[in-house]
Amino acid sequence: MKITTDYLILGSGIAGLTVAIKLAEQFPDRKVLVVTKSNEDESNTKYAQGGIAVVIDNVTDDFEKHINDTLLCGDGLCDRNIVEMVVKEGPKRLAELIQWGTQFDKTAEGTFDLGKEGGHSNNRVVHFKDQTGLEIERAILVKAHQGKNIEILDFHFAIDLMMRADVCHGAYVLDEKSNEIITIRSRFTVLATGGIGQVYQQTTNPKVATGDGIAMAIRAKAIIKDMEFIQFHPTALYAPNSVSTFLISEAVRGFGAHLKTKNGHRFMFDYDVRGELASRDIVSRSIETELKKSADNCVYLDCTHLDRIEFQKHFPTIYQNCLLEGFDVAKDWIPVIPTQHYLCGGVVVNRHGQTSIENLLACGECSRTGLHGANRLASNSLLEALVYAHQIFNYLSEMEVNLKETKVDFQDFFYRKGNLLASDFTKIIKEKLQNVMQQNAGIVRNDTDLKNTLKQLLAWKNECRKIEQEHSVTKDFLELKNCIEVSIPIVAYSLKRTQNRGSFFKEGKTINLQF
Ligand code: SIN
C-alpha cells in the first residue's frame, strides 16, 4: 500500500501529538498522519510522574534561576542560548496545554501547587498528582481526535526513513496486524519516537522505548550526539521479582523523604550539601557508591515522618503500588535502586527542530537540542518536548507542502520474503544485550568492558544483517536491531569520552572542575 501525506509524525507522545495538533489546526486542508507502534497512548509521556518545570511563580522564582539550575545540572555542556529559549517559552506553552484541557493540581488558594525536584533551587514543577504524563496524554489525545485532518495509525511500526539523495521523503511502515509494509510519502517527517530505555535490563521506560527513531536516523546518516549521557533515576522501587520497574518520583524527595542505608544513615549529605535534592547524577552515583561499600542490594527511602493523608493525596499511584509490593509508606522504608531513565543525547537538531537531513525534523527524547548537556534537570523533558513541538510548528508553517514539486516517486522497500524468523533468536539476544549494557554501560563504566561490549554489539549487528537477507523479519526483530543500533554509539562515545561530566562517569577519568 502507498499513502501520501503532507506531514508524517512518528510517535504519539507529548512531542509528536503537539506538533500534529498545531499543524492540523493551522492548516485544516492539509493532511497530518501520526504513526505509532503500539496503542496510541503508549509512550514515555504516559509514565511521567513528576511534571513540567516552568517559571510561573514570579515572587520567589525567575527565569534566570531556572536557567542556572539547568546549566549547573548539565555540567557545562548545555547550549546556553537553547536553555534560555526553552525556559522563557515555558509559561506560554504550559498555558496552551491547559487550554487544551490538561489538569494540574492547585493549592487551596487556587494557585498552582508547585513541586520541587532534584537540582531545582525553587518549587517550580506543575503536576497532576503523581500522574502528570497520564493526564497530559489523555488531554492531548482528546484534542488530537477533534482534528478532522489528523489520522492516527496505531500498531504501525516505522521501519526506516524513505531517503533519496540525502533528503527524507517519508517512511516505510509495518502494519503490525496485516504484516504489510506501507510506503508513506510525505513532504515533511517528524521523529518523535522517544527514548532507548529497553537497551538496559532495568529501566523506568515502557517496552516501546527501543530507540527506533534514533536508529532510523543513524541508518539515514543523520548527525547524532551525546549518546554517552544516559540518565539514571536514583529511586526506582527495588522489587526483584517484579516484571517491570516502578518509579518513585523525585517529587517524593522534594516532599521531604530521606534516603538511608539499611542502618539508618542519611548518607546524601556526605556527598552534596543539597542532600537528597542534589541532581540525579550525583544522587545515583552516591547510591551506587554506598551499595558497593555495603554490598547491599538497595538503599531505602524513608517517608515515615511525612503526613500519610497528604502523601496519599499527592502520590496516590506510588502509595498504592508500594502497598501492592508489601510496603506501607507510613510505616515501612521503601527499598530503592538507581535505574536507567532518560537519554540526554540523540538526533542533533537546531533551534527549529531541523535535523542534519533535509525535510526531517525531531523533537522529544529522541532529539538532542543542547538543553540537557551532560545531565537533564528533572521535569525539563516535557517542557523541552512542548517548546520544540512549537518551534517545529513555527518552522513548518513557513514552508510549502506541494509534493508534486519534489518530483519524487514512491520507492519500494527491499524486503526479503523468506521463512519467518524464529522468535527465540530475538528474545535471547535482547536479553543478552540488556544484560551487557546494564553491566558495562551503566552508572560507572570502564574502557576494558566498553571495548568488549562494542565488539559484541558489532558482531550482533552483522548477524542481524545476515538474518535480514534470509528471513521475513518481525517487529520484535526490528526492535532488537534498533536497540543494537543505538547501543553502538552509547558505547563508542563512552570509549571516546576522556572527561567525566554529569551523568557520565568512567573509572580513572577526571571530574569536570571548570564549571
Ligand atoms: C520523576 O518524577 O522523578 C521523573 C521526572 C523526570 O524524569 O523529569
Side-chain angles (χ1 to χ4, degrees), residues 188 271 347:
F188 293 102
Y271 297 92
V347 185

Side-chain angles (χ1 to χ4, degrees), residues 1 76 81 132 140 182 200 337 424:
M1 190 167 44
N81 290 329
T132 311
I140 53 176
I182 306 171
Y200 288 87
I337 45 161
D424 272 7

Side-chain angles (χ1 to χ4, degrees), residues 47-53 117-118 120 125 130 132 204 231 233-235 247-253 280 315 318 341-342 376-382:
Y47 299 91
Q49 292 181 357
I52 308 178
E117 294 179 20
H120 287 275
V125 180
D130 54 1
T132 311
T204 61
Q231 182 170 80
H233 194 292
T235 55
L247 181 70
I248 309 292
S249 174
E250 194 151 305
V252 172
R253 274 175 284 133
R280 272 178 203 171
F315 309 110
I318 293 171
H341 185 59
Y342 191 85
R376 173 176 68 85
L377 181 66
S379 286
N380 262 0
S381 52
L382 295 175

